[in-house]
Amino acid sequence: MELSERHPSTCHHPEPGDSQLNTSKQRQRDDRTGTAVAKGTGGGLPAWLVARGLIPETSPKRAFAGATFVNQIGKGLFIAGAALFFTRSVGLPVSQVGFALGAAALIGLAAGIPVGRLADRRGPREVFRLSVVVQALAVAGLVFVHSFLSLIAFVCVVELATSAGTAARGPLTRTLGAPNPTRYRSYLRALNNIAVGCGALAAGVAVQLDTRTAYVSLILGTAAMFLVSAALASRVPSVSPIEAPAEGSRWPALKDKPYVALTALDGVMTIQNQVLIFALPLWIITHTDAPRWFVGASVAINTALVVCLQVRVSRGVDNNTAAGRVARRAGAAFLLATALIAAAGGAPGWVAMVIIVLGVIVHTLGELWHAAAAFELSFGLAPEHAQGQYSGLFAIGQGLSNAVGPPLLGLLCIGWGKPGWLVVGALLLVVGQVIPLVVSWSDRTHARVPG
């Protein structure tokens, strides 16, 4: 059953602005947001940028894109500089910092489902803004950290707020992006890759200076980015909650067996995110004759392809069936990519570089297909009235994957060598083949239990 059959209230909005970029500004009432949305952008530079897919076609979409872009700059700052701030500036041991960050990330996952339910009842925009403000205040509080206990306290609040913002951001993205939210989400993903890169580059300045003032400035700059993000989100129209069925469960996500299975499967497939940023650099340095600088080049190739191709690859992924097919394709791509990367082991330097480039390209295609399929299914298989709650559950699988991925890949790909790479590829292939079966299972289940 296609998404348009499952959720007619989100799939029958006409896409604004696609064929009316040069018309006079018209407005229509959006029945989900209750806010007038511009159908055109007028002429000049905005229309030119919209026509080339560089900016979204409506003001609400652009406002939310701006809010998430600034938010992700803050994320890039934090990822690149937080650990060094705690060790170099605060003076805490690496073991304590690693434990605190890992434990906080796991604790943060617990906020996803209850905050998602709150977003369903109170509106995702309001919950998103509040979460980002709390995140900003908690990050700013890190400058007062002087002990392990205070570190645990603050980073737990940071991660809880981050998880809450993710749960609220999902349904907001889907509503604003209707009738093709996967395309809009793909645009945001490409934009966010640029933002995280910008944040990481900015953090490099503080790391290079390596002073207390520089690190404090980095932390406060991160908090400032989150506050700006919250301010920009105020320009996004509020989304009216959808009334839940009176006879329904308060926690339908936890009782939806096909969706729980999808969450687990996607969590396994999300391990692929760690392949290029964790396993491949170690493989290049320890098992190939490729030069060390090629580690950065391989990541740059991946980033450039994601930015350039994410929107294009997501075209046509607009229903559950199509998303299942794309997930199957992603699994096959991951197997081929891991086989190529494994083949680079022991090869002459220039040969290894060529093989790795091919592996990175194929892996990136799989990553793009996986991202498009995961987003479409995460909402396409969820009931309309509980999008936030289901989004929070789905994020748990991805969060656990980020915790399990590095040690698992270290054991298989680096510890076992070439056979380990093939095991990882085979695992991702199998998961990709099973996901369409779960989609069919979910369709049958929801067909028997309406709403």
Side-chain angles (χ1 to χ4, degrees):
M1 188 180 297
E2 295 187 358
L3 180 61
S4 58
E5 297 174 316
R6 294 279 302 279
H7 306 302
S9 60
T10 59
C11 296
H12 293 164
H13 297 306
E15 180 74 358
D18 281 348
S19 60
Q20 303 181 36
L21 297 176
N22 296 316
T23 62
S24 61
K25 290 186 178 180
Q26 304 174 4
R27 306 186 72 84
Q28 67 178 30
R29 299 293 296 181
D30 185 286
D31 59 2
R32 283 294 309 279
T33 63
T35 303
V37 178
K39 291 185 73 176
T41 59
L45 181 60
W48 186 87
L49 294 173
V50 169
R52 284 153 183 80
L54 299 178
I55 63 172
E57 65 276 11
T58 65
S59 294
K61 285 185 178 181
R62 289 195 289 272
F64 188 59
T68 55
F69 181 77
V70 174
N71 186 281
Q72 294 300 301
I73 291 178
K75 178 181 177 180
L77 284 167
F78 191 78
I79 290 175
L84 289 172
F85 167 74
F86 298 133
T87 55
R88 302 285 295 174
S89 179
V90 180
L92 294 173
V94 173
S95 58
Q96 291 186 1
V97 173
F99 176 83
L101 293 176
L106 292 176
I107 291 172
L109 294 177
I113 296 177
V115 172
R117 186 175 188 276
L118 180 63
D120 292 327
R121 303 279 66 82
R122 301 297 182 185
R125 187 200 68 169
E126 289 71 21
V127 174
F128 173 74
R129 289 179 60 197
L130 178 60
S131 300
V132 176
V133 170
V134 172
Q135 188 179 19
L137 296 177
V139 169
L142 292 174
V143 301
F144 301 108
V145 167
H146 295 291
S147 66
F148 175 67
L149 291 179
S150 60
L151 171 64
I152 283 283
F154 277 104
V155 295
C156 280
V157 176
V158 171
E159 290 297 337
L160 285 168
T162 301
S163 180
T166 300
R169 185 169 60 237
L172 193 55
T173 301
R174 179 164 183 80
T175 300
L176 292 174
N180 191 350
T182 298
R183 181 178 179 183
Y184 181 52
R185 177 64 181 85
S186 297
Y187 170 82
L188 292 179
R189 186 170 188 267
L191 196 68
N192 290 346
N193 271 270
I194 299 174
V196 171
C198 291
L201 288 175
V205 177
V207 173
Q208 180 63 35
L209 294 174
D210 198 32
T211 64
R212 170 71 180 177
T213 300
Y215 285 120
V216 169
S217 298
L218 183 150
I219 294 299
L220 294 180
T222 300
M225 290 295 102
F226 292 149
L227 288 176
V228 172
S229 174
L232 291 174
S234 66
R235 300 177 57 192
V236 177
S238 181
V239 177
S240 301
I242 295 177
E243 193 68 27
E247 69 281 4
S249 169
R250 294 182 61 188
W251 306 102
L254 297 176
K255 298 182 178 180
D256 191 331
K257 293 181 181 179
Y259 199 90
V260 171
L262 173 68
T263 297
L265 290 171
D266 184 76
V268 174
M269 185 167 275
T270 301
I271 291 174
Q272 60 85 13
N273 286 338
Q274 305 292 329
V275 167
L276 298 188
I277 63 175
F278 177 81
L280 181 59
L282 294 175
W283 181 252
I284 289 174
I285 292 174
T286 61
H287 288 75
T288 78
D289 292 329
R292 291 176 178 267
W293 60 262
F294 194 63
V295 169
S298 63
V299 175
I301 292 170
N302 169 258
T303 301
L305 289 174
V306 169
V307 171
C308 294
L309 298 179
Q310 182 68 77
V311 175
R312 183 182 299 273
V313 168
S314 70
R315 291 174 183 171
V317 186
D318 53 7
N319 60 70
N320 298 337
T321 302
R325 289 197 301 266
V326 169
R328 179 182 290 127
R329 194 183 307 163
F334 291 140
L335 175 59
L336 177 57
T338 54
L340 286 169
I341 294 172
W350 68 271
V351 175
M353 291 171 64
V354 171
I355 296 175
I356 290 173
V357 166
L358 292 175
V360 169
I361 292 173
V362 175
H363 183 94
T364 302
L365 287 174
E367 176 186 342
L368 298 174
W369 285 326
H370 170 226
F375 182 79
E376 181 63 34
L377 292 175
S378 67
F379 292 99
L381 298 185
E384 190 63 24
H385 66 274
Q387 294 279 308
Q389 185 181 147
Y390 274 69
S391 177
L393 172 61
F394 198 76
I396 290 178
Q398 297 179 333
L400 290 175
S401 174
N402 291 332
V404 173
L408 179 64
L409 292 176
L411 172 65
L412 295 178
C413 299
I414 309 304
W416 289 9
K418 292 182 180 181
W421 281 99
L422 297 179
V423 169
V424 170
L427 174 64
L428 298 177
L429 173 68
V430 170
V431 171
Q433 309 314 301
V434 173
I435 286 178
L437 303 179
V438 174
V439 172
S440 299
W441 178 22
S442 179
D443 286 340
R444 293 192 303 270
T445 301
H446 284 271
R448 291 194 299 267
V449 185

